[in-house]
């Protein structure tokens, strides 16, 4: 059936109803200090550093053959970080399947004049800003800004696409402002309107 979203639980995926933005589905994060992740890494001999004042800054520590020093990785699931594989950092996503027909029916989407959108994003975004902030910012850009409301009347798709890129850039800059003294994590996200 094509009316399903197969969403990886790493990175974060959310379904939102526009209007008064409501988060209907939010995935768990994969951080090294969370029990399931912690237990797997520890069982394979991995070390985890948990900063006392900022547990969300936990790191899986390994001895890097390449750099010849201890190096920390801020996530417990990652693709391509081969030095951490032996100590329990895995590339496996948790996958949640959302039945859109059921979602539409349970939330009365057709009759409520609601819009649904999905946000998939990396920890660089979702660790820096609360899900509600992200949802509201994206909803405004997709549906409520002046350009969003006018696009069906006379704005070109290219103009609207450029507007959405600007919305995305603003969100990234709000999540992680460019400052010389700050570390700026990589931020990746996709926002998509979901329709049946």
């Amino acid at each position: 059936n094509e009316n399903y979203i197969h969403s990886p639980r790493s990175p974060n995926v959310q379904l939102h109803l526009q209007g008064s933005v409501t988060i209907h589905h939010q995935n768990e994060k994969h951080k090294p200090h969370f029990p399931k992740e912690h237990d797997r890494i520890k069982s394979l001999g991995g070390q985890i550093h948990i900063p006392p004042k900022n547990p969300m800054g936990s790191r899986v520590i390994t001895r890097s053959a390449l750099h010849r020093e201890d190096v920390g990785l801020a996530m417990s699931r990652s693709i391509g970080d081969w030095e951490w594989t032996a100590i329990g950092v895995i590339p496996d996503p948790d996958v949640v399947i959302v039945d859109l027909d059921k979602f539409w029916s349970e939330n009365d989407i057709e009759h409520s004049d609601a819009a649904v959108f999905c946000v998939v994003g990396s920890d660089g975004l979702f660790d820096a800003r609360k899900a509600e902030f992200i949802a509201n910012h994206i909803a405004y850009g997709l549906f409520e800004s002046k350009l969003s409301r006018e696009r069906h009347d006379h704005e070109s798709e290219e103009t609207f696409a450029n507007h959405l890129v600007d919305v995305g850039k603003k969100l990234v800059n709000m999540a992680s402002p460019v400052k010389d003294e700050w570390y700026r994590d990589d931020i990746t996200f996709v926002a998509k309107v979901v329709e049946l």
Side-chain angles (χ1 to χ4, degrees):
N1 186 333
E2 62 192 48
N3 290 334
Y4 288 85
I5 291 179
H6 295 257
S7 68
R9 288 176 108 174
S10 172
N12 197 299
V13 178
Q14 301 176 12
L15 285 176
H16 304 277
L17 292 181
Q18 171 266 341
S20 63
V21 177
T22 304
I23 298 173
H24 282 270
H25 176 74
Q26 186 173 356
N27 294 323
E28 66 185 62
K29 295 179 180 183
H30 295 123
K31 291 294 186 180
H33 67 285
F34 290 178
K36 184 170 86 171
E37 306 298 303
H38 180 273
D39 292 349
R40 182 187 63 251
I41 292 163
K42 287 296 221 178
S43 74
L44 291 169
Q47 296 178 35
I48 299 172
H49 170 70
I50 304 172
K53 292 184 179 180
N54 180 19
M56 289 302 284
S58 62
R59 302 279 190 268
V60 180
I61 307 297
T62 192
R63 184 76 182 167
S64 172
L66 178 66
H67 300 292
R68 297 188 186 130
E69 65 182 353
D70 289 344
V71 180
L73 184 66
M75 63 215 69
S76 57
R77 299 191 185 207
S78 179
I79 297 172
D81 289 304
W82 59 270
E83 290 186 302
W84 283 267
T85 303
I87 58 169
V89 174
I90 60 175
D92 309 349
D94 291 335
V95 177
V96 174
I97 299 171
V98 178
D99 180 334
L100 293 176
D101 290 319
K102 184 177 177 184
F103 183 82
W104 245 248
S105 171
E106 288 176 351
N107 294 286
D108 198 24
I109 304 297
E110 284 187 49
H111 302 103
S112 65
D113 196 34
V116 178
F117 64 100
C118 178
V119 179
V120 181
S122 67
D123 64 332
L125 179 63
F126 283 99
D127 284 355
R129 288 293 186 162
K130 292 184 177 185
E132 294 78 9
F133 177 89
I134 296 165
N136 283 315
H137 185 80
I138 298 294
Y140 178 79
L142 287 174
F143 308 109
E144 298 168 16
S145 67
K146 181 179 180 203
L147 191 54
S148 303
R149 292 190 309 269
E150 293 176 353
R151 106 177 154 152
H152 298 295
D153 298 332
H154 62 275
E155 295 294 340
S156 72
E157 289 298 315
E158 182 179 353
T159 300
F160 185 68
N162 289 333
H163 163 71
L164 291 181
V165 169
D166 289 341
V167 168
K169 285 179 183 177
K170 286 178 186 171
L171 180 58
V172 167
N173 286 323
M174 287 186 284
S176 185
V178 177
K179 293 188 177 184
D180 291 338
E181 66 274 13
W182 286 10
Y183 165 75
R184 189 174 197 195
D185 198 0
D186 59 321
I187 296 176
T188 304
F189 78 95
V190 174
K192 170 80 171 97
V193 175
V194 179
E195 298 174 335
L196 283 186

